[in-house]
Coordinates of all heavy atoms in Angstrom, one line a residue:
M1264 N 102.7 93.0 124.6 CA 102.0 91.8 124.2 C 102.6 91.4 122.9 O 102.7 92.2 121.9 CB 100.5 92.1 124.1 CG 99.8 90.9 123.5 SD 98.0 91.2 123.3 CE 97.7 92.5 124.4
S1265 N 103.1 90.2 122.8 CA 103.7 89.7 121.5 C 102.6 89.2 120.6 O 101.5 88.9 121.0 CB 104.7 88.6 121.8 OG 104.1 87.4 122.2
E1266 N 103.0 89.0 119.3 CA 102.1 88.5 118.3 C 101.7 87.1 118.7 O 100.6 86.7 118.6 CB 102.7 88.5 116.9 CG 101.8 88.0 115.9 CD 102.4 88.0 114.5 OE1 103.6 88.4 114.4 OE2 101.7 87.7 113.6
E1267 N 102.7 86.3 119.2 CA 102.4 84.9 119.6 C 101.4 84.9 120.8 O 100.5 84.0 120.8 CB 103.7 84.2 120.1 CG 104.6 83.9 118.9 CD 105.9 83.3 119.4 OE1 106.0 82.8 120.6 OE2 106.8 83.2 118.6
D1268 N 101.4 85.9 121.7 CA 100.4 85.9 122.7 C 99.0 86.3 122.2 O 98.0 85.9 122.7 CB 100.8 87.0 123.8 CG 102.0 86.6 124.6 OD1 102.3 85.4 124.6 OD2 102.7 87.5 125.1
N1269 N 99.0 87.1 121.1 CA 97.8 87.5 120.5 C 97.1 86.5 119.6 O 95.9 86.4 119.6 CB 98.0 88.7 119.6 CG 97.6 90.0 120.2 OD1 97.1 90.0 121.3 ND2 97.9 91.1 119.5
K1270 N 97.8 85.6 118.9 CA 97.2 84.7 118.0 C 97.2 83.3 118.5 O 98.2 82.8 119.0 CB 98.0 84.8 116.6 CG 97.8 86.1 115.9 CD 98.0 85.9 114.5 CE 97.6 87.2 113.8 NZ 96.8 86.9 112.6
V1271 N 96.1 82.6 118.3 CA 96.0 81.2 118.6 C 95.2 80.7 117.4 O 94.0 80.9 117.2 CB 95.2 81.0 119.9 CG1 95.0 79.5 120.1 CG2 95.8 81.6 121.0
S1272 N 95.9 80.0 116.5 CA 95.3 79.5 115.3 C 94.7 80.6 114.5 O 95.4 81.5 114.1 CB 94.4 78.3 115.6 OG 93.9 77.8 114.4
N1273 N 93.4 80.5 114.3 CA 92.8 81.6 113.5 C 92.0 82.6 114.4 O 91.0 83.2 114.0 CB 91.8 81.0 112.4 CG 90.7 80.2 113.1 OD1 90.8 79.8 114.2 ND2 89.7 79.9 112.3
F1274 N 92.4 82.7 115.7 CA 91.8 83.6 116.6 C 92.8 84.7 117.0 O 94.0 84.4 117.0 CB 91.3 82.9 117.9 CG 90.2 81.9 117.6 CD1 90.5 80.6 117.3 CD2 88.9 82.3 117.6 CE1 89.5 79.6 117.0 CE2 87.9 81.4 117.3 CZ 88.2 80.0 117.0
T1275 N 92.3 85.8 117.4 CA 93.2 86.9 117.9 C 92.6 87.4 119.2 O 91.4 87.7 119.3 CB 93.2 88.1 116.9 OG1 93.6 87.6 115.6 CG2 94.1 89.2 117.3
K1276 N 93.5 87.5 120.2 CA 93.1 88.1 121.5 C 93.2 89.6 121.4 O 94.1 90.2 120.8 CB 94.1 87.7 122.6 CG 94.1 86.3 123.0 CD 95.1 86.1 124.1 CE 95.3 84.6 124.4 NZ 96.3 84.5 125.5
I1277 N 92.1 90.2 121.8 CA 92.0 91.7 121.8 C 92.0 92.1 123.3 O 91.2 91.7 124.0 CB 90.8 92.2 121.1 CG1 90.7 91.6 119.7 CG2 90.7 93.7 121.1 CD1 91.8 92.0 118.8
P1278 N 92.9 93.0 123.7 CA 92.9 93.5 125.1 C 91.6 94.1 125.5 O 91.0 94.9 124.7 CB 94.1 94.5 125.1 CG 95.0 94.1 123.9 CD 94.0 93.6 122.9
V1279 N 91.2 93.8 126.7 CA 89.9 94.4 127.2 C 89.9 95.9 127.2 O 88.9 96.5 126.9 CB 89.7 93.8 128.6 CG1 88.5 94.5 129.3 CG2 89.5 92.3 128.6
D1280 N 91.1 96.5 127.4 CA 91.2 97.9 127.4 C 90.7 98.5 126.0 O 90.1 99.6 126.0 CB 92.6 98.4 127.7 CG 92.7 99.9 127.7 OD1 92.0 100.6 128.4 OD2 93.5 100.4 126.9
I1281 N 91.0 97.8 125.0 CA 90.6 98.3 123.6 C 89.1 98.1 123.5 O 88.4 99.0 123.0 CB 91.4 97.6 122.5 CG1 92.9 98.0 122.6 CG2 90.8 97.8 121.1 CD1 93.8 97.3 121.6
I1282 N 88.6 97.0 123.9 CA 87.2 96.7 123.7 C 86.3 97.7 124.6 O 85.3 98.1 124.1 CB 86.9 95.2 124.1 CG1 87.6 94.3 123.1 CG2 85.4 95.0 124.1 CD1 87.6 92.9 123.5
Q1283 N 86.8 97.9 125.8 CA 85.9 98.7 126.7 C 86.3 100.2 126.8 O 85.6 100.9 127.5 CB 86.0 98.1 128.1 CG 85.4 96.7 128.1 CD 85.5 96.1 129.5 OE1 86.1 96.6 130.4 NE2 84.8 94.9 129.6
N1284 N 87.3 100.6 126.1 CA 87.7 102.0 126.2 C 86.7 102.9 125.5 O 86.6 103.0 124.3 CB 89.1 102.2 125.5 CG 89.7 103.5 125.7 OD1 89.0 104.5 126.1 ND2 91.0 103.6 125.5
S1285 N 86.0 103.7 126.3 CA 84.9 104.6 125.7 C 85.5 105.8 125.0 O 84.8 106.5 124.3 CB 84.0 105.0 126.8 OG 84.7 105.8 127.8
A1286 N 86.8 106.0 125.1 CA 87.4 107.1 124.4 C 87.6 106.8 122.9 O 87.9 107.7 122.1 CB 88.8 107.5 125.1
I1287 N 87.5 105.5 122.5 CA 87.7 105.1 121.1 C 86.4 105.0 120.5 O 85.5 104.3 120.9 CB 88.5 103.8 121.0 CG1 89.8 103.8 121.8 CG2 88.7 103.4 119.6 CD1 90.4 102.4 121.9
S1288 N 86.2 105.7 119.4 CA 85.0 105.6 118.6 C 84.8 104.2 118.0 O 85.8 103.5 117.8 CB 84.9 106.7 117.5 OG 85.9 106.3 116.5
P1289 N 83.6 103.8 117.8 CA 83.4 102.5 117.2 C 84.1 102.3 115.9 O 84.7 101.2 115.7 CB 81.8 102.4 117.0 CG 81.3 103.4 118.0 CD 82.3 104.5 118.1
D1290 N 84.2 103.3 115.0 CA 84.9 103.1 113.7 C 86.4 102.9 114.0 O 87.0 102.0 113.4 CB 84.8 104.4 112.9 CG 83.4 104.5 112.2 OD1 82.7 103.5 112.2 OD2 83.1 105.6 111.7
S1291 N 87.0 103.7 114.9 CA 88.4 103.6 115.1 C 88.7 102.3 115.9 O 89.7 101.6 115.6 CB 88.9 104.7 116.0 OG 88.7 105.9 115.3
R1292 N 87.8 101.8 116.7 CA 88.0 100.6 117.4 C 88.0 99.4 116.4 O 88.9 98.5 116.5 CB 86.9 100.3 118.5 CG 87.0 99.0 119.2 CD 86.0 98.9 120.3 NE 86.1 99.9 121.3 CZ 85.2 100.8 121.6 NH1 84.1 100.9 120.9 NH2 85.5 101.7 122.6
M1293 N 87.1 99.4 115.5 CA 87.1 98.3 114.5 C 88.3 98.3 113.6 O 88.9 97.3 113.3 CB 85.8 98.4 113.6 CG 84.6 98.0 114.3 SD 84.6 96.4 115.1 CE 85.0 95.3 113.8
L1294 N 88.8 99.5 113.3 CA 90.1 99.6 112.5 C 91.2 99.0 113.3 O 92.0 98.2 112.8 CB 90.3 101.0 112.1 CG 91.7 101.3 111.4 CD1 91.8 100.5 110.1 CD2 91.9 102.8 111.2
L1295 N 91.3 99.4 114.6 CA 92.4 98.9 115.5 C 92.3 97.4 115.6 O 93.3 96.7 115.5 CB 92.3 99.6 116.8 CG 93.4 99.3 117.8 CD1 94.8 99.6 117.3 CD2 93.1 100.1 119.1
I1296 N 91.1 96.9 115.8 CA 91.0 95.4 116.0 C 91.4 94.7 114.7 O 92.1 93.7 114.7 CB 89.5 95.1 116.4 CG1 89.3 95.5 117.9 CG2 89.3 93.6 116.2 CD1 87.9 95.5 118.3
Y1297 N 91.0 95.3 113.6 CA 91.4 94.7 112.3 C 92.9 94.7 112.1 O 93.5 93.6 111.7 CB 90.7 95.5 111.1 CG 91.2 95.1 109.8 CD1 90.8 94.0 109.1 CD2 92.1 96.0 109.1 CE1 91.2 93.6 107.9 CE2 92.5 95.6 107.8 CZ 92.1 94.5 107.2 OH 92.6 94.1 106.0
L1298 N 93.5 95.8 112.4 CA 95.0 95.8 112.3 C 95.7 94.9 113.3 O 96.7 94.3 112.9 CB 95.5 97.3 112.5 CG 95.0 98.2 111.4 CD1 95.3 99.7 111.8 CD2 95.6 97.9 110.0
I1299 N 95.2 94.7 114.5 CA 95.8 93.8 115.4 C 95.6 92.4 114.9 O 96.6 91.6 114.9 CB 95.1 93.9 116.8 CG1 95.4 95.2 117.5 CG2 95.5 92.7 117.7 CD1 94.5 95.4 118.7
S1300 N 94.5 92.1 114.2 CA 94.3 90.7 113.7 C 95.2 90.4 112.5 O 95.5 89.2 112.3 CB 92.8 90.6 113.3 OG 92.6 91.2 112.1
I1301 N 95.7 91.3 111.8 CA 96.6 91.1 110.7 C 97.9 90.5 111.1 O 98.5 89.7 110.5 CB 96.7 92.4 109.8 CG1 95.4 92.6 109.1 CG2 97.9 92.2 108.9 CD1 95.4 93.9 108.4
G1302 N 98.4 91.0 112.2 CA 99.7 90.5 112.8 C 100.8 91.5 112.6 O 100.8 92.4 111.8
N1303 N 101.8 91.2 113.4 CA 103.0 92.0 113.5 C 103.9 91.9 112.2 O 104.0 90.8 111.7 CB 103.9 91.5 114.7 CG 104.8 92.6 115.2 OD1 104.8 93.7 114.8 ND2 105.6 92.2 116.2
G1304 N 104.4 93.0 111.7 CA 105.2 93.0 110.6 C 104.5 93.0 109.2 O 105.2 93.0 108.2
S1305 N 103.2 92.9 109.3 CA 102.5 92.9 108.0 C 102.4 94.2 107.3 O 102.4 95.2 108.0 CB 101.0 92.4 108.3 OG 101.0 91.1 108.8
V1306 N 102.4 94.2 106.0 CA 102.3 95.4 105.3 C 100.9 95.6 104.8 O 100.3 94.7 104.2 CB 103.2 95.4 104.0 CG1 103.0 96.7 103.2 CG2 104.7 95.3 104.5
V1307 N 100.2 96.7 105.2 CA 98.8 96.9 104.8 C 98.8 98.3 104.1 O 99.3 99.3 104.7 CB 97.9 97.0 106.1 CG1 96.5 97.2 105.7 CG2 98.1 95.7 106.9
R1308 N 98.2 98.3 103.0 CA 98.1 99.5 102.2 C 96.9 100.3 102.5 O 95.8 99.7 102.7 CB 98.2 99.2 100.7 CG 99.4 98.4 100.3 CD 100.3 99.3 99.4 NE 101.5 98.5 99.1 CZ 102.7 98.8 99.6 NH1 102.8 99.8 100.4 NH2 103.8 98.1 99.2
R1309 N 97.0 101.6 102.5 CA 95.8 102.4 102.8 C 94.6 102.1 101.9 O 93.5 102.0 102.4 CB 96.3 103.9 102.6 CG 95.2 104.9 102.9 CD 95.8 106.3 102.6 NE 94.9 107.4 103.0 CZ 94.1 108.0 102.1 NH1 94.1 107.6 100.9 NH2 93.3 108.9 102.6
E1310 N 94.9 101.9 100.6 CA 93.8 101.7 99.7 C 93.1 100.4 100.0 O 91.8 100.3 99.9 CB 94.4 101.5 98.2 CG 95.4 102.5 97.7 CD 96.8 102.3 98.2 OE1 97.4 101.2 98.0 OE2 97.3 103.2 98.9
N1311 N 93.8 99.4 100.5 CA 93.1 98.1 100.9 C 92.2 98.3 102.1 O 91.1 97.7 102.2 CB 94.2 97.1 101.2 CG 95.0 96.7 100.0 OD1 94.6 97.0 98.8 ND2 96.1 96.1 100.1
I1312 N 92.6 99.2 103.1 CA 91.8 99.4 104.2 C 90.6 100.2 103.8 O 89.5 99.9 104.3 CB 92.6 100.2 105.3 CG1 93.7 99.3 105.9 CG2 91.7 100.7 106.4 CD1 94.7 100.0 106.8
L1313 N 90.7 101.2 103.0 CA 89.6 102.0 102.5 C 88.5 101.1 101.9 O 87.3 101.2 102.1 CB 90.0 103.1 101.5 CG 90.9 104.2 102.0 CD1 91.3 105.1 100.9 CD2 90.3 104.9 103.2
K1314 N 89.0 100.1 101.0 CA 88.1 99.2 100.3 C 87.5 98.2 101.3 O 86.3 98.0 101.3 CB 88.9 98.5 99.3 CG 88.1 97.6 98.4 CD 88.9 97.0 97.3 CE 88.1 96.1 96.4 NZ 88.9 95.5 95.3
Y1315 N 88.3 97.7 102.2 CA 87.8 96.7 103.2 C 86.7 97.3 104.1 O 85.6 96.6 104.3 CB 88.9 96.2 104.1 CG 88.5 95.1 105.1 CD1 88.5 93.8 104.7 CD2 88.2 95.5 106.4 CE1 88.1 92.8 105.6 CE2 87.8 94.5 107.3 CZ 87.8 93.2 106.9 OH 87.4 92.2 107.8
F1316 N 86.9 98.5 104.5 CA 85.9 99.2 105.4 C 84.8 100.0 104.7 O 83.9 100.6 105.3 CB 86.6 100.0 106.5 CG 87.2 99.2 107.6 CD1 88.5 98.9 107.6 CD2 86.4 98.8 108.6 CE1 89.1 98.2 108.6 CE2 87.0 98.0 109.6 CZ 88.3 97.7 109.6
N1317 N 85.0 100.1 103.3 CA 84.1 100.9 102.5 C 84.0 102.3 103.0 O 82.9 102.8 103.3 CB 82.8 100.2 102.4 CG 81.9 100.8 101.3 OD1 82.4 101.4 100.3 ND2 80.6 100.8 101.5
V1318 N 85.2 103.0 103.3 CA 85.2 104.3 103.8 C 86.0 105.2 102.8 O 86.8 104.7 102.1 CB 85.8 104.4 105.2 CG1 84.9 103.7 106.2 CG2 87.2 103.9 105.3
G1319 N 85.8 106.5 102.9 CA 86.6 107.4 102.1 C 87.9 107.8 102.9 O 88.1 107.5 104.1
G1320 N 88.7 108.6 102.2 CA 90.0 109.0 102.7 C 89.9 109.9 104.0 O 90.6 109.8 104.9
H1321 N 88.9 110.8 104.0 CA 88.7 111.7 105.2 C 88.3 110.9 106.4 O 88.8 111.2 107.5 CB 87.7 112.8 104.9 CG 88.1 113.8 103.9 ND1 89.4 114.4 103.9 CD2 87.5 114.3 102.8 CE1 89.5 115.2 102.9 NE2 88.4 115.2 102.2
R1322 N 87.4 110.0 106.3 CA 87.0 109.2 107.4 C 88.1 108.3 107.9 O 88.3 108.2 109.1 CB 85.8 108.3 107.0 CG 85.1 107.6 108.1 CD 83.9 107.0 107.7 NE 83.3 106.1 108.6 CZ 82.3 105.2 108.4 NH1 81.8 105.2 107.2 NH2 81.8 104.5 109.3
F1323 N 88.9 107.7 107.0 CA 90.1 107.0 107.4 C 91.1 107.8 108.2 O 91.6 107.4 109.2 CB 90.7 106.3 106.2 CG 92.0 105.6 106.5 CD1 92.0 104.4 107.1 CD2 93.2 106.2 106.1 CE1 93.2 103.8 107.4 CE2 94.4 105.6 106.4 CZ 94.4 104.4 107.0
Q1324 N 91.3 109.0 107.7 CA 92.3 109.9 108.3 C 91.8 110.3 109.7 O 92.6 110.4 110.7 CB 92.5 111.2 107.5 CG 93.3 111.0 106.3 CD 94.7 110.5 106.6 OE1 95.2 110.5 107.7 NE2 95.4 110.0 105.5
R1325 N 90.5 110.5 109.9 CA 89.9 110.8 111.2 C 90.1 109.7 112.2 O 90.5 109.9 113.3 CB 88.4 111.1 111.1 CG 87.8 111.5 112.4 CD 86.2 111.6 112.3 NE 85.6 110.5 111.7 CZ 85.3 109.3 112.4 NH1 85.8 109.1 113.6 NH2 84.7 108.3 111.8
M1326 N 89.9 108.4 111.7 CA 90.1 107.2 112.6 C 91.6 107.1 113.0 O 91.9 106.9 114.1 CB 89.7 106.0 111.9 CG 88.2 105.9 111.7 SD 87.6 104.3 111.0 CE 88.2 104.4 109.3
M1327 N 92.5 107.3 112.0 CA 93.9 107.2 112.3 C 94.4 108.3 113.2 O 95.2 108.1 114.1 CB 94.7 107.3 111.0 CG 94.6 106.0 110.1 SD 95.2 104.5 110.8 CE 96.9 104.8 110.6
K1328 N 93.9 109.5 113.0 CA 94.2 110.7 113.9 C 93.8 110.4 115.3 O 94.5 110.6 116.3 CB 93.5 111.9 113.4 CG 93.8 113.2 114.2 CD 93.2 114.4 113.6 CE 93.5 115.6 114.5 NZ 92.8 116.8 113.9
E1329 N 92.6 109.8 115.5 CA 92.1 109.4 116.8 C 93.0 108.4 117.5 O 93.4 108.5 118.7 CB 90.7 108.9 116.7 CG 90.1 108.5 118.0 CD 88.6 108.0 117.9 OE1 88.0 108.2 116.8 OE2 88.2 107.3 118.8
L1330 N 93.4 107.3 116.7 CA 94.2 106.3 117.3 C 95.6 106.8 117.6 O 96.2 106.4 118.7 CB 94.3 105.1 116.4 CG 93.0 104.3 116.1 CD1 93.1 103.3 115.1 CD2 92.5 103.7 117.5
R1331 N 96.1 107.7 116.8 CA 97.4 108.3 117.1 C 97.4 109.2 118.4 O 98.2 109.1 119.2 CB 97.9 109.2 115.9 CG 99.3 109.8 116.2 CD 99.8 110.7 115.1 NE 99.7 110.2 113.8 CZ 98.9 110.6 112.8 NH1 98.2 111.7 112.9 NH2 98.9 110.0 111.6
K1332 N 96.3 109.9 118.5 CA 96.1 110.8 119.7 C 96.0 110.0 121.0 O 96.5 110.4 122.0 CB 94.9 111.6 119.5 CG 94.7 112.8 120.4 CD 93.5 113.6 119.9 CE 93.4 114.9 120.6 NZ 92.3 115.7 120.2
L1333 N 95.4 108.8 120.9 CA 95.3 107.9 122.0 C 96.5 107.1 122.3 O 96.6 106.3 123.3 CB 94.1 107.0 121.9 CG 92.7 107.7 121.9 CD1 91.6 106.8 121.5 CD2 92.5 108.3 123.3
G1334 N 97.6 107.2 121.4 CA 98.8 106.6 121.7 C 98.9 105.1 121.2 O 99.8 104.4 121.6
Y1335 N 98.0 104.8 120.2 CA 98.1 103.4 119.7 C 99.1 103.2 118.6 O 99.4 102.1 118.2 CB 96.7 102.9 119.3 CG 95.8 102.6 120.5 CD1 94.8 103.5 120.8 CD2 96.0 101.5 121.2 CE1 94.0 103.2 121.9 CE2 95.2 101.2 122.3 CZ 94.2 102.1 122.7 OH 93.4 101.8 123.7
F1336 N 99.6 104.3 118.0 CA 100.6 104.1 117.0 C 101.4 105.4 116.8 O 101.0 106.4 117.3 CB 100.0 103.7 115.6 CG 99.3 104.7 114.9 CD1 100.0 105.5 114.0 CD2 98.0 105.0 115.0 CE1 99.4 106.5 113.2 CE2 97.3 106.0 114.3 CZ 98.0 106.7 113.4
K1337 N 102.5 105.2 116.1 CA 103.3 106.4 115.7 C 103.7 106.2 114.3 O 103.7 105.1 113.8 CB 104.5 106.6 116.6 CG 105.5 105.4 116.5 CD 106.7 105.6 117.5 CE 107.7 104.4 117.4 NZ 108.9 104.6 118.2
T1338 N 104.1 107.3 113.6 CA 104.5 107.2 112.2 C 106.0 107.7 112.2 O 106.3 108.6 112.8 CB 103.6 108.2 111.4 OG1 102.3 107.8 111.5 CG2 104.0 108.1 109.9
E1339 N 106.7 106.9 111.4 CA 108.2 107.2 111.2 C 108.4 107.4 109.7 O 107.9 106.7 108.9 CB 109.0 106.0 111.7 CG 109.1 105.8 113.2 CD 110.0 104.7 113.6 OE1 110.7 104.1 112.7 OE2 110.2 104.6 114.8
R1340 N 109.1 108.5 109.4 CA 109.5 108.7 108.0 C 110.7 107.8 107.6 O 111.6 107.7 108.4 CB 109.9 110.2 107.9 CG 108.7 111.1 108.2 CD 109.0 112.5 107.8 NE 107.9 113.4 108.2 CZ 106.9 113.7 107.4 NH1 106.8 113.2 106.2 NH2 106.0 114.5 107.8
M1341 N 110.6 107.3 106.4 CA 111.7 106.5 105.9 C 112.5 107.3 104.9 O 112.0 108.1 104.2 CB 111.1 105.2 105.2 CG 110.3 104.4 106.2 SD 109.7 102.8 105.5 CE 109.1 103.3 103.9
K1342 N 113.8 107.1 105.0 CA 114.7 107.8 104.1 C 115.4 106.9 103.1 O 115.8 105.7 103.5 CB 115.7 108.7 104.8 CG 115.1 109.8 105.6 CD 116.1 110.6 106.3 CE 115.5 111.8 107.1 NZ 116.4 112.6 107.7
S1343 N 115.7 107.3 101.9 CA 116.5 106.6 101.0 C 118.0 106.6 101.4 O 118.3 107.4 102.2 CB 116.3 107.1 99.6 OG 116.9 108.4 99.5
P1344 N 118.8 105.8 100.8 CA 120.3 105.8 101.1 C 120.9 107.2 100.9 O 121.8 107.6 101.6 CB 120.9 104.8 100.2 CG 119.8 103.8 99.9 CD 118.5 104.7 99.9
S1345 N 120.3 108.0 100.0 CA 120.8 109.4 99.7 C 120.3 110.4 100.8 O 120.7 111.5 100.7 CB 120.4 109.8 98.3 OG 119.0 109.9 98.2
G1346 N 119.4 109.9 101.7 CA 118.9 110.8 102.7 C 117.6 111.5 102.3 O 117.0 112.3 103.1
K1347 N 117.0 111.2 101.2 CA 115.7 111.8 100.8 C 114.6 111.1 101.4 O 114.7 109.9 101.6 CB 115.6 111.9 99.2 CG 116.6 112.8 98.6 CD 116.4 112.8 97.1 CE 117.4 113.8 96.5 NZ 117.2 113.9 95.0
L1348 N 113.4 111.8 101.5 CA 112.2 111.1 102.1 C 111.8 110.0 101.1 O 111.6 110.3 99.9 CB 111.1 112.1 102.3 CG 109.8 111.6 102.8 CD1 110.0 111.0 104.2 CD2 108.8 112.7 102.9
A1349 N 111.6 108.8 101.6 CA 111.2 107.7 100.7 C 109.8 107.2 101.1 O 109.4 106.2 100.5 CB 112.2 106.6 100.8
G1350 N 109.1 107.8 102.0 CA 107.8 107.3 102.5 C 107.7 107.3 104.0 O 108.6 107.9 104.7
S1351 N 106.8 106.6 104.5 CA 106.6 106.5 105.9 C 106.0 105.1 106.3 O 105.5 104.4 105.5 CB 105.7 107.6 106.4 OG 104.4 107.4 105.9
K1352 N 106.2 104.8 107.6 CA 105.7 103.5 108.0 C 105.0 103.8 109.4 O 105.4 104.7 110.1 CB 106.7 102.4 108.2 CG 107.8 102.7 109.2 CD 108.7 101.5 109.2 CE 109.9 101.8 110.2 NZ 110.8 100.6 110.2
T1353 N 103.9 103.1 109.6 CA 103.2 103.2 110.9 C 103.5 102.1 111.8 O 103.4 100.9 111.4 CB 101.7 103.3 110.5 OG1 101.4 104.4 109.7 CG2 100.8 103.4 111.8
I1354 N 103.8 102.4 113.0 CA 104.2 101.4 114.0 C 103.1 101.4 115.1 O 102.9 102.4 115.7 CB 105.5 101.6 114.6 CG1 106.6 101.6 113.5 CG2 105.9 100.6 115.7 CD1 107.9 102.2 113.9
F1355 N 102.4 100.3 115.3 CA 101.4 100.2 116.3 C 102.0 99.8 117.6 O 102.9 99.0 117.6 CB 100.2 99.3 115.8 CG 99.3 99.9 114.8 CD1 99.6 99.9 113.5 CD2 98.2 100.6 115.3 CE1 98.8 100.6 112.6 CE2 97.4 101.3 114.3 CZ 97.7 101.2 113.0
I1356 N 101.4 100.3 118.7 CA 102.0 100.1 120.0 C 100.8 99.5 120.9 O 99.8 100.2 121.1 CB 102.4 101.5 120.6 CG1 103.5 102.1 119.7 CG2 103.0 101.3 122.0 CD1 103.7 103.6 120.0
F1357 N 101.0 98.3 121.3 CA 100.0 97.7 122.1 C 100.6 97.4 123.5 O 101.7 96.8 123.6 CB 99.6 96.4 121.5 CG 99.0 96.6 120.1 CD1 99.7 96.2 119.0 CD2 97.8 97.3 119.9 CE1 99.2 96.4 117.8 CE2 97.4 97.5 118.7 CZ 98.1 97.1 117.6
K1358 N 100.0 97.9 124.5 CA 100.5 97.8 125.9 C 99.5 96.9 126.7 O 98.3 97.2 126.6 CB 100.7 99.1 126.5 CG 101.6 100.0 125.8 CD 101.6 101.4 126.4 CE 102.5 102.3 125.6 NZ 102.4 103.7 126.1
D1359 N 100.0 96.0 127.5 CA 99.1 95.3 128.4 C 98.8 96.3 129.6 O 99.6 97.0 130.0 CB 99.8 94.1 129.0 CG 100.0 93.0 128.0 OD1 99.1 92.9 127.1 OD2 100.9 92.2 128.1
K1360 N 97.5 96.3 130.0 CA 97.1 97.1 131.1 C 96.4 96.3 132.1 O 95.9 95.3 131.9 CB 96.2 98.2 130.6 CG 96.9 99.2 129.7 CD 96.0 100.4 129.4 CE 96.8 101.4 128.6 NZ 96.2 102.7 128.5

């Protein structure tokens, strides 16, 4: 599903599978829906998510771990030109079902 398919003006389409998937906890589902609504290619900082949802680091990590386990995203390590670890980026994967 492309970002253009997801967004119509100020609305975002959320796949029924995400809304009705009983394997996703309510907290993780809300995080996933929030991230889908932000759009493709957006940079979102962990601190901003913690503040937006008023959650601590452990709760956030639990939600992310759940979404990773269910296959909604993967994390890639980024390297500097010299080959040293320069950080990581999270890539969300949305599949039509």
Side-chain angles (χ1 to χ4, degrees):
M1264 173 180 338
S1265 72
E1266 181 179 2
E1267 289 177 14
D1268 291 339
N1269 257 355
K1270 291 204 169 223
V1271 177
S1272 185
N1273 61 343
F1274 296 91
T1275 302
K1276 290 182 189 178
I1277 304 299
V1279 172
D1280 179 58
I1281 291 172
I1282 296 168
Q1283 296 180 353
N1284 188 343
S1285 62
I1287 307 172
S1288 70
D1290 286 344
S1291 297
R1292 180 178 294 114
M1293 286 309 301
L1294 174 60
L1295 183 57
I1296 290 169
Y1297 171 74
L1298 294 169
I1299 292 170
S1300 74
I1301 290 173
N1303 204 5
S1305 299
V1306 175
V1307 182
R1308 304 248 177 250
R1309 179 181 187 266
E1310 311 82 59
N1311 296 340
I1312 293 174
L1313 297 178
K1314 187 175 180 180
Y1315 182 84
F1316 283 99
N1317 192 28
V1318 297
H1321 290 312
R1322 188 169 170 193
F1323 173 75
Q1324 289 297 348
R1325 180 186 54 76
M1326 291 186 290
M1327 291 296 285
K1328 182 179 179 181
E1329 179 180 344
L1330 293 174
R1331 181 183 309 118
K1332 197 174 190 179
L1333 291 169
Y1335 285 105
F1336 77 89
K1337 64 181 180 177
T1338 303
E1339 290 185 357
R1340 297 188 184 272
M1341 298 184 314
K1342 293 184 179 181
S1343 68
S1345 66
K1347 293 183 179 182
L1348 180 63
S1351 63
K1352 66 180 174 179
T1353 301
I1354 301 168
F1355 283 85
I1356 304 161
F1357 303 109
K1358 300 175 186 171
D1359 288 330
K1360 291 190 175 187

